Amino acid sequence: MWLLIALPLAGAAILLLLGKRSDKWGHLLGTATVAAAFALGLVYFFQLSDLPDDSRSAYLNLFTFIDTGSFNVNASLLFDPLSAVFVLLITGVGLLIHIYSIGYMAHDEGRRRFFAYLNLFVASMLLLVLGNNYVMMFVGWEGVGVASYLLISFWFIRPSAATAGKKAFLMNRVGDAGFLIAIFLMFVAFGSTDFQVVFNGTLAGNLASGTVLAIGLFLLVGACGKSGQFPLQTWLPDAMEGPTPVSALIHAATMVTAGVYLIARSHAIFSANETAQLVVVSIGALTLLIGAIIGCAKDDIKRVLAYSTVSQIGYMFLAVGLGGAAYALGIIHLLAHGFFKAGMFLGAGSVMHGMNDQVNIRRFGGLMKYMPITYGTFLAGYVAIIGIIPFSGYWTKDPIILAAFNQEGWKGWVFGSAALLGAGLTAFYMSRMFFLTFHGPKRWTEDIKKPHESPLIMTIPLIVLAFGSLAAGWLMSTSVVDWLTPVFGQTTAHEEKMSHLTVTVLTMALVVLGVVVAFLLFRRGTALEEQPTRSIVVQAARQNLYADRFNELVFELPGRLLTRALVWVDNRGVDGVVNGLAAAVGGGSARLRRAQTGYVRSYALSILSGAVVVVAALLVVTFG
């Protein structure tokens, strides 16, 4: 089992240590290590599937990681149905992204370094999903954070890329602080961070509900940071500054899925506290709408896809927050999303490859004719994500909407309506991007003579992902639920407030409406530049719903003012006292030094003056 992590980690180490000596073959080694990990993951998966349902867990204790008094943590790995599906997703989609990167980064001088960082990213993510306790998961969690910083700021000579890397790193540290506090609380409450000990202790019901709630909420803070959920979502679109394969890897198969995995893995904690579940569902519903609304106003093809990711991860948070059978629904949507989002990100990279790195969809148009393979594969991802029957999104997103509607009381109507509205908005902004990119009149810049299709090394992964986009949801809709039953247990379905047929009809109606409106508005293209608007909603969406300004006012500005105040206190207070004492001692010494004149008459006068003072004092004491 340890080989799954060791293979890509060894690839990263070799490429970084050998430096330029591995420039010619480094990309092949990087790809081969992930291919080997994928093959190994398949072998382990089939071995696990041969076991009875209640025996599908394999443990491996590597060594004692921490041994200080009563605090003991083992470096242990767990391969169970949940970690197995993540291993296949990470290595499978990761392998296709590695192959695509061979062509995409062919002319980049830092290609060997790029593949080293990709390998490090995959190894860290595998450690995250294979760790048998929260400390091991946190080690992988931090490895993913470091690798993402290196990849997002890969072209660090660009100020925007360097800033985006720092922003991602710092905002993730906010989430990491929450995750760490949750780990500390677990240790205080259970004396261990091992999954089984924590879950058994929670299910036993001996813990105060406030403690369970605190652990759940701090875990949620960590999940929001990694998965770009409200209020920590602003780093995710800025991560587009990295090379496009990085965007595909982060948004489809690895980093953003970590938060969903954390909540799903911690299902025993969240299922034990309804308030914690309600907060997770609320965060998911709010974020899916935020991402969809902003996605409607963006012109950068990668940023539209980025906000699409924010929105789709919101669906996954909504699902795992609902609990019960919806845990598996969230994981299925995560898997299907891995296919169609990776395909569309790599498709966007293919468009940029043929359009001199142009990213503005207002400057595209008519590319269907010049990039038929990219068009066909992008179309597969497009129909999958908007949930057209019978493609992937229908099989994975509609059950989440249905589960949301079937919640008890007001929660069903509020969260179900939010999920339904998100489906309509998704259809609109994805259709807008699709029509403006591939259909309508040409709106290219003058430097582009004739766009060209990408080479086979880039289009083959697109074709594989397109097939996955079309069929993965249908293939996984029942089999993955059954596969995950040993992890989440048998669940009882809620009383149906709304039938599946009703939800399907409503969802399809909104999806078709979104597509038709986008077609009518953008079939003939759009203005070449962003136009002024009086609409408050559009203005807010163009400004990312003022999330960056909110962070600047609420977090950055108070921090900056506090720093200036501390500098003032340090300069005028601490330094003032120290410097004042030094000046007083120095001044006193100078005055005393003047008494040492070397003249006898001066010393005699001083002695006489002293004697007069002493005699006067004696007289006052005697006769006073």
Side-chain angles (χ1 to χ4, degrees):
M1 198 187 307
W2 59 272
L3 265 178
L4 283 169
I5 304 167
L7 284 167
L9 187 62
I14 291 171
L15 296 182
L16 291 174
L17 291 174
L18 290 183
K20 293 184 178 179
R21 283 172 288 185
S22 60
D23 275 352
K24 292 184 179 178
W25 46 266
H27 55 286
L28 299 177
L29 176 67
T31 306
T33 56
V34 178
F38 176 60
L40 204 57
L42 277 176
V43 172
Y44 291 156
F45 174 80
F46 286 117
Q47 288 179 348
L48 200 67
S49 64
D50 289 337
L51 299 175
D53 286 358
D54 55 355
S55 303
R56 286 177 180 167
S57 293
Y59 296 88
L60 177 64
N61 187 27
L62 298 173
F63 53 87
T64 300
F65 186 47
I66 299 174
D67 186 9
T68 55
S70 59
F71 185 45
N72 301 295
V73 177
N74 290 325
S76 304
L77 303 179
L78 166 66
F79 193 79
D80 69 349
L82 181 59
S83 54
V85 295
F86 272 87
V87 165
L88 293 182
L89 175 71
I90 295 164
T91 55
V93 176
L95 172 61
L96 294 173
I97 293 172
H98 273 70
I99 295 171
Y100 177 94
S101 301
I102 294 175
Y104 191 85
M105 301 295 287
H107 304 295
D108 195 292
E109 293 180 354
R111 183 169 67 168
R112 181 261 316 160
R113 182 166 53 89
F114 179 76
F115 274 83
Y117 294 162
L118 283 184
N119 272 199
L120 180 62
F121 203 116
V122 171
S124 300
M125 195 65 200
L126 287 171
L127 176 60
L128 191 157
V129 300
L130 286 170
N132 185 37
N133 56 67
Y134 285 97
V135 173
M136 288 297 289
M137 185 193 288
F138 189 75
V139 174
W141 194 272
E142 288 303 292
V144 169
V146 172
S148 67
Y149 166 73
L150 295 171
L151 286 168
I152 293 169
S153 56
F154 180 74
W155 289 321
F156 55 84
I157 55 175
R158 299 179 184 172
S160 58
T163 302
K166 284 187 287 187
K167 186 176 182 179
F169 189 81
L170 291 174
M171 292 200 75
N172 270 278
R173 297 293 76 74
V174 176
D176 295 352
F179 192 2
L180 266 180
I181 294 172
I183 292 175
F184 294 149
L185 288 174
M186 286 176 204
F187 182 72
V188 172
F190 305 107
S192 173
T193 60
D194 185 272
F195 291 152
Q196 208 56 49
V197 175
V198 172
F199 299 159
N200 290 339
T202 304
L203 294 173
N206 298 325
L207 213 57
S209 62
T211 305
V212 178
L213 175 62
I215 293 173
L217 293 183
F218 280 118
L219 286 176
L220 177 61
V221 172
C224 287
K226 230 33 158 200
S227 292
Q229 296 291 286
F230 178 81
L232 301 175
Q233 78 278 13
T234 57
W235 70 268
L236 200 52
D238 287 5
M240 297 301 99
E241 292 294 336
T244 300
V246 173
S247 306
L249 192 63
I250 289 177
H251 284 246
T254 54
M255 191 167 178
V256 297
T257 64
V260 183
Y261 172 77
L262 175 61
I263 295 177
R265 175 61 77 189
S266 309
H267 60 93
I269 296 172
F270 287 96
S271 297
N273 192 288
E274 290 186 3
T275 306
Q277 282 186 315
L278 181 61
V279 176
V280 175
V281 174
S282 302
I283 293 288
L286 183 60
T287 309
L288 79 87
L289 290 179
I290 287 174
I293 291 171
I294 299 176
C296 294
K298 291 298 174 185
D299 295 329
D300 183 322
I301 187 171
K302 290 177 67 177
R303 288 183 185 269
V304 176
L305 292 174
Y307 276 107
S308 163
T309 300
V310 171
S311 183
Q312 296 302 311
I313 300 292
Y315 271 110
M316 298 169 206
F317 266 62
L318 175 65
V320 294
L322 292 174
Y327 279 120
L329 298 180
I331 300 302
I332 296 171
H333 192 54
L334 186 152
L335 294 173
H337 178 264
F339 284 102
F340 53 68
K341 188 50 63 67
M344 285 192 289
F345 261 117
L346 297 184
S350 181
V351 170
M352 292 166 58
H353 183 76
M355 294 287 286
N356 289 350
D357 288 333
Q358 178 67 258
V359 294
N360 190 343
I361 57 177
R362 292 177 182 270
R363 290 289 184 170
F364 291 155
L367 295 180
M368 176 181 68
K369 176 182 174 183
Y370 301 91
M371 301 178 179
I373 300 176
T374 301
Y375 171 75
T377 56
F378 204 95
L379 175 63
Y382 161 68
V383 296
I385 194 172
I386 65 175
I388 293 289
I389 298 175
F391 305 115
S392 285
Y394 166 74
W395 298 100
T396 60
K397 194 160 57 180
D398 272 30
I400 295 175
I401 299 174
L402 176 64
F405 268 118
N406 285 334
Q407 291 297 294
E408 297 175 353
W410 61 269
K411 292 186 288 186
W413 295 112
V414 171
F415 298 128
S417 301
L420 190 63
L421 178 60
L425 290 172
T426 301
F428 174 77
Y429 71 76
M430 290 302 297
S431 299
R432 172 178 177 265
M433 179 187 67
F434 183 73
F435 294 139
L436 288 179
T437 301
F438 294 103
H439 294 275
K442 304 169 186 173
R443 303 178 302 281
W444 310 339
T445 49
E446 294 177 356
D447 59 319
I448 299 170
K449 304 302 179 185
K450 185 178 179 181
H452 57 84
E453 185 57 275
S454 299
L456 280 177
I457 193 73
M458 292 170 64
T459 54
I460 288 175
L462 291 178
I463 294 169
V464 175
L465 288 168
F467 280 110
S469 302
L470 295 175
W474 175 70
L475 292 173
M476 297 183 304
S477 58
T478 54
S479 56
V480 174
V481 173
D482 295 337
W483 172 256
L484 292 174
T485 298
V487 178
F488 300 128
Q490 295 287 350
T491 54
T492 305
H494 289 280
E495 183 182 350
E496 284 197 353
K497 186 182 296 179
M498 199 174 284
S499 70
H500 197 170
L501 178 61
T502 306
V503 169
T504 298
V505 170
L506 288 174
T507 306
M508 284 300 109
L510 274 180
V511 167
V512 171
L513 179 64
V515 173
V516 170
V517 170
F519 177 75
L520 294 175
L521 289 176
F522 303 108
R523 69 186 188 284
R524 295 175 182 171
T526 189
L528 298 180
E529 304 293 338
E530 188 176 274
Q531 301 298 301
T533 178
R534 293 182 179 178
S535 168
I536 297 175
V537 176
V538 175
Q539 288 180 14
R542 287 177 177 174
Q543 297 298 318
N544 304 332
L545 298 184
Y546 305 109
D548 284 315
R549 292 190 184 181
F550 177 82
N551 288 336
E552 288 172 5
L553 287 175
V554 176
F555 299 109
E556 184 181 338
L557 182 61
R560 204 162 52 217
L561 293 176
L562 179 62
T563 302
R564 289 177 181 173
L566 290 174
V567 169
W568 187 88
V569 170
D570 184 50
N571 290 338
R572 303 293 180 84
V574 179
D575 288 355
V577 171
V578 173
N579 292 336
L581 285 173
V585 172
S589 302
R591 287 181 177 80
L592 287 174
R593 191 171 63 247
R594 291 174 189 166
Q596 304 297 318
T597 61
Y599 295 109
V600 174
R601 60 177 180 274
S602 298
Y603 298 150
L605 180 60
S606 299
I607 294 170
L608 178 62
S609 299
V612 170
V613 170
V614 171
V615 170
L618 288 174
L619 289 174
V620 169
V621 171
T622 305
F623 299 106

